[in-house]
């Protein structure tokens, strides 16, 4: 029974990691590309780590904490690095794809101004 | 190793998916077009290699690999932060 | 008495957390317990003067509820984004949304921005310098007002209750 659970967690994790990188490879501009790896990949690696916890639990009957520490660390740092990269991209004026809505907010955003100010 | 080869098969399939993901990351890193894209690809490369190390750890039934995975996770985050900081300010330490 | 206690053990919660993580990482034994107790005392004692004293989280039950909801949201909406990456690539409609904030303190804002970034489809990009607006990049923007009220109701409101601000 636990074998099926571990296998399912592994496959789901692998699929999410794959989709994250697929998004990185094929989405149209940098800002949309940012979405795929920071989230799908983080969730995927969370599933793989959970599978690893389950393997240790099934083999030794102990709860291994290292994996949980790694996934907590990744879940805390992923949004921070995404935010820093988005800021850097805004600062470097990396272009957005043309059909982005509310593109006029971009200048306000880059200068940290409120959207209603001049 | 665990009994039953379901886990082994799943490990091989997952490793294959992760390797494909790594290849796509490399493609994006070479392709660019902007520097931030390359940094993002590098960051994803880090995270995917953590996944690969953990899969190896499960396959070999050894807990030693996790120390390495934890180190890579920390180094990956710090280097991404440093690179974005550099792009923002042109300087890493203010 | 309490002053002396505060001087000796300035951050009791941090000390406890350090001890627990130390024991989890190194395994339980008497030697590790002694070393862990020593480090759990020493590190907060030395770093207390540098700490930036933020608003404190109260209500542990609400924190737990928030955490569980976040996990559920991350999983559900990740599936949605995965499908979007795989299939509906052409009809993608990205957009920027300015989210009007009603919390001001640093730490709750950080938690809010991180939650927004972790739930797929949205990445928080930048604050306005008066801290009234949070700019969010959305992968697929359907209804701006609905997104704003959703974030407000699901994340901002519970955070205001947790940090009581």
């Amino acid at each position: 029974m636990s074998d099926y659970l571990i296998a399912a967690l592994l496959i789901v994790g692998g699929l999410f990691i794959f989709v994250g990188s697929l998004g990185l490879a094929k989405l149209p501009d940098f800002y949309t590309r940012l979405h795929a790896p920071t989230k799908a990949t983080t969730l995927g690696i969370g599933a793989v780590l959970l599978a690893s916890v389950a393997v240790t639990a099934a083999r030794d009957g102990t709860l291994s904490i290292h994996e949980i520490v790694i996934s907590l660390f990744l879940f805390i740092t992923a949004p921070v690095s995404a935010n820093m990269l988005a800021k850097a991209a805004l600062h470097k004026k990396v272009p957005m794809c043309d059909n982005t809505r509310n593109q006029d907010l971009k200048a306000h955003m880059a200068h940290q101004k409120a959207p209603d100010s001049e | 190793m665990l009994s039953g080869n379901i886990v082994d098969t799943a490990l091989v399939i997952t490793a294959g998916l992760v390797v494909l993901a790594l290849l796509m990351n490399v493609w994006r890193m070479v392709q660019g077009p902007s520097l931030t894209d390359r940094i993002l690809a590098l960051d994803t490369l880090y995270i995917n290699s953590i996944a690969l190390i953990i899969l190896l750890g499960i396959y070999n039934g050894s807990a030693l690999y996790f120390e390495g995975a934890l180190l890579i996770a920390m180094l990956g985050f710090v280097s991404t932060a440093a690179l974005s900081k550099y792009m923002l300010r042109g300087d890493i330490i203010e | 008495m309490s002053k002396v206690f505060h001087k000796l053990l300035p951050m009791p919660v941090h000390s406890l957390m350090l001890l627990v993580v130390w024991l989890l990482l190194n395994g339980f034994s008497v030697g590790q317990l002694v070393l862990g107790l020593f480090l759990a005392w020493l590190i907060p004692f030395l770093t207390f003067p540098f700490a930036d004293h933020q608003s404190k989280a109260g209500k542990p039950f609400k924190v737990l509820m928030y955490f569980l909801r976040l996990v559920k949201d991350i999983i559900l909406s990740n599936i949605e984004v995965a499908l979007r990456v795989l299939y509906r690539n052409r009809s993608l409609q990205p957009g920027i949304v300015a989210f009007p904030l009603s919390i001001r303190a640093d730490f709750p804002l950080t938690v809010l921005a991180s939650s927004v970034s972790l739930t797929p489809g949205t990445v928080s990009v930048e604050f306005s310098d008066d801290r009234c607006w949070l700019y969010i990049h959305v992968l697929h923007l359907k209804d701006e007002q609905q997104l704003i009220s959703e974030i407000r109701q699901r994340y901002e409101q519970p955070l205001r209750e947790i940090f009581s601000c």
Side-chain angles (χ1 to χ4, degrees):
Chain A
M1 187 56 223
S2 66
D3 281 7
Y4 287 99
L5 179 74
I6 293 165
L9 275 173
L10 281 173
I11 299 282
V12 167
L15 278 177
F16 270 113
I17 291 172
F18 178 76
V19 167
S21 292
L22 188 69
L24 178 72
K26 86 175 204 185
L27 285 173
D29 69 346
F30 173 75
Y31 300 91
T32 50
R33 262 174 235 147
L34 196 56
H35 289 270
T38 49
K39 287 164 268 182
T41 306
T42 315
L43 188 67
I45 211 159
V48 171
L49 286 161
L50 219 56
S52 168
V53 172
V55 167
T56 332
R59 197 186 48 214
D60 307 339
T62 56
L63 199 63
S64 162
I65 297 300
H66 284 77
E67 290 93 327
I68 298 174
V69 173
I70 296 175
S71 49
L72 259 185
F73 183 80
L74 284 176
F75 270 96
I76 293 171
T77 56
V80 178
S81 49
N83 179 264
M84 291 183 93
L85 276 172
K87 268 188 180 180
L90 260 185
H91 182 74
K92 287 282 171 192
K93 301 192 174 60
V94 173
M96 280 184 191
C97 70
D98 292 331
N99 65 347
T100 305
R101 278 168 73 178
N102 300 339
Q103 277 212 42
D104 44 321
L105 286 178
K106 204 174 154 185
H108 294 300
M109 190 155 74
H111 295 103
Q112 299 189 309
K113 291 281 187 288
D116 43 12
S117 66
E118 283 311 306
Chain B
M1 212 43 237
L2 277 146
S3 65
N5 45 22
I6 308 158
V7 177
D8 280 348
T9 320
L11 270 173
V12 172
I13 295 173
T14 313
L17 285 170
V18 174
V19 167
L20 282 178
L22 284 167
L23 284 175
M24 284 189 292
N25 294 342
V26 171
W27 183 78
R28 176 53 71 196
M29 200 158 83
V30 173
Q31 190 77 8
S34 67
L35 197 52
T36 40
D37 280 303
R38 289 173 217 264
I39 300 177
L40 182 63
L42 189 65
D43 189 53
T44 320
L45 213 61
Y46 264 116
I47 298 179
N48 288 0
S49 57
I50 296 171
L52 212 54
I53 288 179
I54 288 159
L55 290 176
L56 191 65
I58 298 176
Y59 186 75
N60 287 342
S62 155
L64 276 177
Y65 293 92
F66 296 119
E67 315 286 340
L70 196 57
L71 269 177
I72 291 184
M74 290 181 173
L75 281 179
F77 171 65
V78 171
S79 64
T80 309
L83 282 170
S84 347
K85 205 79 192 162
Y86 177 73
M87 285 196 63
L88 261 177
R89 309 251 193 259
D91 218 339
I92 296 175
I93 301 167
E94 287 170 23
Chain C
M1 183 63 203
S2 70
K3 228 176 182 175
V4 176
F5 179 76
H6 180 76
K7 267 231 172 97
L8 276 177
L9 200 66
M11 297 187 277
V13 183
H14 288 71
S15 299
L16 190 69
M17 269 171 59
L18 274 175
L19 180 63
V20 169
V21 172
W22 180 266
L23 288 180
L24 287 176
L25 276 177
N26 293 301
F28 187 85
S29 68
V30 180
Q32 294 291 359
L33 180 69
V34 172
L35 188 56
L37 275 173
F38 176 67
L39 288 176
W41 166 75
L42 184 70
I43 293 170
F45 182 74
L46 290 179
T47 55
F48 182 68
F50 319 134
D52 185 13
H53 298 285
Q54 304 281 356
S55 40
K56 285 199 171 59
K59 308 187 182 75
F61 178 70
K62 284 207 166 120
V63 175
L64 186 69
M65 288 303 292
Y66 184 79
F67 182 72
L68 290 179
R69 169 184 293 168
L70 195 62
V71 170
K72 192 191 98 194
D73 280 6
I74 289 172
I75 293 172
L76 282 182
S77 36
N78 250 311
I79 295 168
E80 193 194 314
V81 167
L83 290 176
R84 192 147 278 147
V85 167
L86 284 175
Y87 298 118
R88 278 164 279 168
N89 229 340
R90 295 270 157 264
S91 61
L92 212 59
Q93 171 71 78
I96 308 170
V97 172
F99 176 76
L101 292 163
S102 62
I103 39 183
R104 295 283 181 278
D106 280 341
F107 186 54
L109 278 184
T110 314
V111 178
L112 179 69
S114 293
S115 309
V116 166
S117 289
L118 267 181
T119 47
T122 50
V123 170
S124 49
V125 179
E126 188 69 279
F127 289 111
S128 69
D129 49 9
D130 54 0
R131 298 198 171 187
C132 293
W133 301 87
L134 172 65
Y135 288 103
I136 301 171
H137 186 271
V138 190
L139 184 59
H140 187 77
L141 183 58
K142 277 172 287 189
D143 185 354
E144 211 176 313
Q145 286 311 316
Q146 195 205 335
L147 183 84
I148 288 176
S149 65
E150 212 168 89
I151 292 175
R152 166 151 299 151
Q153 189 195 71
R154 291 188 77 84
Y155 305 120
E156 198 185 20
Q157 208 57 44
L159 279 177
R160 287 181 72 173
E161 283 166 22
I162 287 170
F163 293 99
S164 46
C165 58

